[in-house]
Amino acid sequence: MELRLIEVVLPERDLGDLEKLLEGRGEVLDVTLLRSLGPYRYPVLGVWKERFSTEEIIVRILTSAEKTEGLTDLISEKFANVDGFRINIIPVAATIPNIPENAEPIQPEVSPEEHKRPKERISREELYSSIETAAKLTKVYIAMIVLSSIIAAAGLLSNNVVVIIGAMVVAPLMGPNVALALATTLGDLTLARNALKTNLVGISLAVILSVALGLILPVDPSMPEISSRTSVGFAEVIVAFASGCAGVLAFTTAAPAVIIGVAVAVSLLPPLVAFGLLLGAGYVSYATGALLLFLVNLISVNLAGVATFIAQGIFPRNWWEADRAKSATFVALMLWALLLAALLSFILASRI
């Protein structure tokens, strides 16, 4: 079970309000107890209090990772305007004694109007922080793009699927694409600009490097691992959609990052490198097919990512930001859908 320790810093005078909010029965709560938070019901695995100054107190709440979103939202809404208020969300590597995976409180029977179950995901702030970090343009990101492109090119040229899979694991392309989907969902222009910049730099580096390799190395477009990436079918679109959904779900549920990298890179890096190799070797028509496959996959991954974020209930906390985000999301979804439809129509028309 993924755990999070939520630290709430408050003036001591507001402790009573927080305790009422948590409906606590002591400083340490049994894992089988149910704590009711307004219209929500959460499994709180432990609560501890500590005074660290003459006027402030810190309350630590242990809960599962996917339950932090609603809990932090509720506490923030209650104490957002209190001077000195702060929430820190800390990943918990382990706790002793161990908490069983099935240590969930029994949910009471309540009407649909009374019981609003929170989404199963990590908190919005933790999600944003992890995705923002993954979308940053750093020296490590550039190095990983270069290395994964070389590995992918070697795998394609030698028709070695194992080497290509290795490139998929190394490739960091999932970060900026998931960030772009989140920025679209939240209407966050700063995150969108950073994600686009990082994405463009990564794509450009992969293309430039693979074109250079195509100029100096023999490229055979009939090799299965290359030829399979010079045409687009509905199966490839389905794989791209599944990759985008898997990437977003892995982020929102704190799944291992390697799973995300494999899921997204399988639809992006190989056709991109195949495009560069074929273009460098002078096979323009084959290169065009690989480029179309990459573009269809890129659009499908982002479209699926936005749809999955919406399905997960990711939205800004403030109503004025939510209105702006709703408009931005609608426009982006229409744009991604129109681009995908245009590309698929062009592909179908070229086959007639």
Side-chain angles (χ1 to χ4, degrees):
M1 179 190 296
E2 287 281 341
L3 298 174
R4 295 294 183 269
L5 189 65
I6 301 173
E7 289 189 345
V8 184
V9 181
L10 282 171
E12 189 172 3
R13 65 178 183 273
D14 294 304
L15 176 60
D17 292 336
L18 180 60
E19 288 179 331
K20 291 178 182 178
L21 197 65
L22 296 175
E23 293 188 358
R25 299 179 185 175
E27 296 189 2
V28 179
L29 307 181
D30 187 86
V31 297
T32 61
L33 293 179
L34 175 69
R35 293 293 168 262
S36 174
L37 305 177
Y40 298 93
R41 278 156 174 81
Y42 298 94
V44 174
L45 305 175
V47 176
W48 300 268
K49 295 175 290 186
E50 178 183 352
R51 182 181 291 105
F52 66 94
S53 74
T54 56
E55 297 181 354
E56 291 181 309
I57 192 166
I58 185 168
V59 180
R60 297 182 176 90
I61 306 168
L62 182 66
T63 186
S64 58
E66 65 270 15
K67 303 296 183 180
T68 59
E69 170 77 16
L71 182 57
T72 55
D73 276 357
L74 190 69
I75 296 174
S76 296
E77 290 171 6
K78 177 70 176 177
F79 301 104
N81 297 322
V82 174
D83 291 338
F85 166 74
R86 178 167 296 278
I87 291 181
N88 301 315
I89 302 173
I90 305 170
V92 178
T95 182
I96 300 173
N98 186 41
I99 297 175
E101 288 289 337
N102 59 353
E104 293 286 343
I106 300 174
Q107 301 289 350
E109 293 184 4
V110 292
S111 65
E113 292 77 16
E114 296 174 339
H115 187 188
K116 183 180 179 183
R117 183 179 294 274
K119 297 293 183 180
E120 299 290 317
R121 62 170 185 266
I122 61 176
S123 70
R124 182 191 299 103
E125 289 74 18
E126 183 181 354
L127 174 66
Y128 187 94
S129 178
S130 63
I131 291 180
E132 183 184 34
T133 300
K136 288 183 178 178
L137 182 60
T138 63
K139 293 180 180 179
V140 174
Y141 174 84
I142 293 174
M144 296 296 278
I145 285 290
V146 172
L147 293 173
S148 61
S149 298
I150 293 173
I151 296 171
L156 290 169
L157 293 174
S158 62
N159 199 42
N160 191 326
V161 66
V162 176
V163 176
I164 296 174
I165 292 174
M168 295 174 186
V169 175
V170 176
L173 290 176
M174 57 89 177
N177 282 283
V178 174
L180 185 58
L182 179 63
T184 301
T185 308
L186 296 179
D188 190 321
L189 295 179
T190 301
L191 181 61
R193 283 194 294 266
N194 291 337
L196 283 172
K197 180 178 69 174
T198 304
N199 222 357
L200 287 174
V201 170
I203 292 171
S204 300
L205 279 175
V207 170
I208 292 172
L209 184 58
S210 54
V211 167
L213 292 174
L215 288 171
I216 61 177
L217 297 175
V219 179
D220 183 3
S222 65
M223 297 185 71
E225 290 299 326
I226 295 180
S227 63
S228 64
R229 292 173 172 86
T230 57
S231 60
V232 186
F234 288 106
E236 286 77 14
V237 176
I238 293 173
V239 169
F241 267 98
S243 298
C245 292
V248 169
L249 285 174
F251 264 112
T252 58
T253 57
V258 172
I259 298 177
I260 319 167
V262 175
V264 177
V266 69
S267 296
L268 295 179
L269 185 67
L272 183 62
V273 173
F275 162 70
L277 290 173
L278 291 166
L279 186 63
Y283 298 104
V284 179
S285 60
Y286 289 108
T288 303
L291 178 61
L292 288 174
L293 175 60
F294 168 75
L295 292 175
V296 168
N297 288 343
L298 180 68
I299 294 171
S300 299
V301 164
N302 280 275
L303 185 59
V306 173
T308 306
F309 275 130
I310 294 175
Q312 287 284 89
I314 302 296
F315 53 87
R317 175 174 286 125
N318 300 320
W319 64 266
W320 59 88
E321 294 176 341
D323 289 342
R324 183 184 64 187
K326 187 181 296 183
S327 300
T329 301
F330 177 78
V331 171
L333 281 174
M334 292 300 100
L335 179 61
W336 285 124
L338 287 174
L339 287 173
L340 180 61
L343 282 174
L344 292 176
S345 298
F346 174 78
I347 293 166
L348 292 175
S350 63
R351 291 183 177 181
I352 299 176

